[in-house]
């Protein structure tokens, strides 16, 4: 097999593009696709300071690596979530990557705020992934605002976005469909623009990129694991992809072109400000403060029967 770009020996096959590459050309094409997504979707320019949310997994580290190689101005943002050995290893890999590249990294340790994910999860009835997602979003927004970043980039890839789309379609979540796009503009002074430069690159491509670039990333999935349903949707799409290469990309791209505009009216107006923390909110308090309020209530509910027992 010959490399599509240089006609040398190909080592890496990308079936949905019906192409094969040598290592160097694969790296070149991967980075060029990231750059094209950024330009085409007007995500940011080389003058912007971009905050990159880095979990220590292959996608966000591949993203950070590509952005640095392409000459964008970046700072990493890592949340040490406090999920046992998994989080310890995620933090260690992220910090090692930053150190090796001489890159700026902001690390927030949730434990220091008494908000390690297992602590919060134990105090609420909400599913672990939902609580964790709310906490992460709040920290992303707050830290981007506090550190003066107008753009926040995440490592969501094609598989993530296609699986999310499938989930939203299966339950016809029109409201979510209206909001599902690679760029979410800022609608509040404390909301950074959210961008997903890897949205057209598959999990396979980011894994190969991380491998050929020698990036050391966390391989384990989070023990709470992004709901079994998300994995089920990914699996279903992978089966379709195996028989019909290109299915995922077409599903997502055609949705963005043809489907999403039809749901755009479903989007909420701009958010107000949370009465407790001042961050954007669609109700009197934001999702994060509601979660903490929920855990406070649960704690006090538990205290009452205990003291009754004692009397
Ligand atoms: P996930 O929600 O785990 O699928 O991750 C989606 C994206 O969110 C990743 O590609 C990262 O950009 C970001 N992210 C997830 N977990 C963290 C974390 N602990 N710290 C910083 N960014 C994260
Ligand atoms: Zn709040």
């Amino acid at each position: 097999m010959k490399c599509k770009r240089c006609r040398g020996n190909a080592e890496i096959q990308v079936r949905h593009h019906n192409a094969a590459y040598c290592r160097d050309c694969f790296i070149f094409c991967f980075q060029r696709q990231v750059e094209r997504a950024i330009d085409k979707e007007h995500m940011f320019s080389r003058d912007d300071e971009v905050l990159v949310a880095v979990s220590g997994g292959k996608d966000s580290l591949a993203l950070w690596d590509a952005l640095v190689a392409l000459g964008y101005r970046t700072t990493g943002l890592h949340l040490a979530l406090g999920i046992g050995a998994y989080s310890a290893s995620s933090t260690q890999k992220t910090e090692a990557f930053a150190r090796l590249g001489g890159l700026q990294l902001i690390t927030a340790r949730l434990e220091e705020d008494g908000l390690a994910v297992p602590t919060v999860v134990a105090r609420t009835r909400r599913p672990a992934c939902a609580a964790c997602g709310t906490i992460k979003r709040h920290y992303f927004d707050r830290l981007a605002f506090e550190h003066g970043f107008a753009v926040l980039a995440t490592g969501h890839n094609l598989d993530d976005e296609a699986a999310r789309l499938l989930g939203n379609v299966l339950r016809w979540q029109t409201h979510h469909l209206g909001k599902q796009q690679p760029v979410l503009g800022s609608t509040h002074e404390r909301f950074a623009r959210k961008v997903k430069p890897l949205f057209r690159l598959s999990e396979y491509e980011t894994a190969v990129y991380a491998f050929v670039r020698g990036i050391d990333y966390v391989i384990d999935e989070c023990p709470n694991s992004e709901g079994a349903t998300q994995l089920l949707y990914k699996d279903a799409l992978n089966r379709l992809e195996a028989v019909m290469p290109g299915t995922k990309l077409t599903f997502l791209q055609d949705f963005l072109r043809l489907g999403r505009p039809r749901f755009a009216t479903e989007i909420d107006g701009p958010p107000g400000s949370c009465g407790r923390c001042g961050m954007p909110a669609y109700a009197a308090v934001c999702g994060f403060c509601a979660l903490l309020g929920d855990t406070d209530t649960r704690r006090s509910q538990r205290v009452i029967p205990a003291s009754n027992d004692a009397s």
Side-chain angles (χ1 to χ4, degrees):
M1 226 180 344
K2 294 230 177 299
C3 170
K4 184 178 175 182
R5 186 161 168 265
C6 76
R7 314 307 299 162
N9 248 349
E11 262 187 272
I12 301 154
Q13 203 181 356
V14 185
R15 279 187 70 208
H16 64 274
H17 288 309
N18 196 17
Y21 301 97
C22 70
R23 286 187 181 214
D24 286 349
C25 290
F26 176 81
I27 292 170
F28 175 86
C29 291
F30 184 97
Q31 292 177 352
R32 195 175 54 178
Q33 281 199 69
V34 173
E35 190 177 30
R36 277 200 186 147
I38 292 168
D39 288 346
K40 207 167 154 239
E41 304 294 330
H42 308 291
M43 293 185 180
F44 48 85
S45 76
R46 284 193 167 70
D47 295 329
D48 289 312
E49 280 282 356
V50 182
L51 190 61
V52 188
V54 187
S55 64
K58 62 183 182 325
D59 303 306
S60 48
L61 283 175
L63 171 64
W64 200 9
D65 181 273
L67 293 180
V68 171
L70 288 163
Y72 291 101
R73 298 161 63 182
T74 65
T75 295
L77 169 62
H78 175 71
L79 307 181
L81 300 170
I83 309 176
Y86 166 75
S87 286
S89 159
S90 308
T91 304
Q92 186 252 320
K93 306 268 183 200
T94 306
E95 288 180 343
F97 182 85
R99 212 177 312 117
L100 207 67
L103 306 171
Q104 271 184 27
L105 175 68
I106 299 168
T107 300
R109 293 170 205 282
L110 273 55
E111 216 161 353
E112 291 174 5
D113 297 340
L115 293 175
V117 169
T119 313
V120 176
V121 167
R123 290 192 198 141
T124 168
R125 281 199 189 86
R126 299 187 202 195
C129 293
C132 183
T134 301
I135 296 172
K136 282 196 282 198
R137 274 191 298 278
H138 174 83
Y139 271 85
F140 289 163
D141 287 327
R142 206 184 70 209
L143 292 169
F145 170 70
E146 285 175 1
H147 290 271
F149 288 89
V151 189
L152 176 90
T154 55
H156 292 96
N157 61 35
L158 172 61
D159 295 56
D160 295 327
E161 294 304 293
R164 172 133 79 117
L165 176 57
L166 181 58
N168 286 339
V169 167
L170 288 176
R171 278 169 276 124
W172 287 115
Q173 292 186 307
T174 53
H175 179 81
H176 292 313
L177 287 167
K179 280 199 298 195
Q180 190 175 345
Q181 48 190 331
V183 180
L184 263 186
S186 172
T187 49
H188 185 283
E189 55 174 8
R190 295 191 179 194
F191 253 164
R193 188 184 326 142
K194 312 269 172 46
V195 301
K196 301 171 183 171
L198 302 184
F199 78 105
R200 278 205 203 92
L201 287 149
S202 67
E203 204 162 294
Y204 167 76
E205 288 168 283
T206 61
V208 172
Y209 181 84
F211 175 75
V212 295
R213 293 285 288 165
I215 297 171
D216 183 20
Y217 61 86
V218 188
I219 294 170
D220 297 341
E221 291 282 337
C222 172
N224 293 336
S225 201
E226 178 52 42
T229 42
Q230 194 74 3
L231 296 178
L232 192 63
Y233 297 152
K234 282 191 178 177
D235 184 47
L237 287 165
N238 281 336
R239 287 183 191 204
L240 292 172
E241 184 77 28
V243 186
M244 297 182 285
T247 299
K248 279 186 263 194
L249 190 59
T250 309
F251 181 45
L252 185 68
Q253 280 193 160
D254 287 356
F255 163 72
L256 292 172
R257 192 167 56 90
L258 304 168
R260 202 202 66 83
R262 304 195 178 207
F263 299 103
T265 50
E266 298 277 338
I267 304 178
D268 309 302
S273 299
C274 171
R276 278 179 68 174
C277 73
M279 293 302 290
Y282 292 97
V285 294
C286 71
F288 176 72
C289 289
L291 171 68
L292 296 195
D294 183 31
T295 66
D296 287 347
T297 320
R298 295 252 300 148
R299 227 180 328 180
S300 55
Q301 275 169 351
R302 263 204 303 247
V303 172
I304 299 163
S307 55
N308 283 351
D309 286 351
S311 62

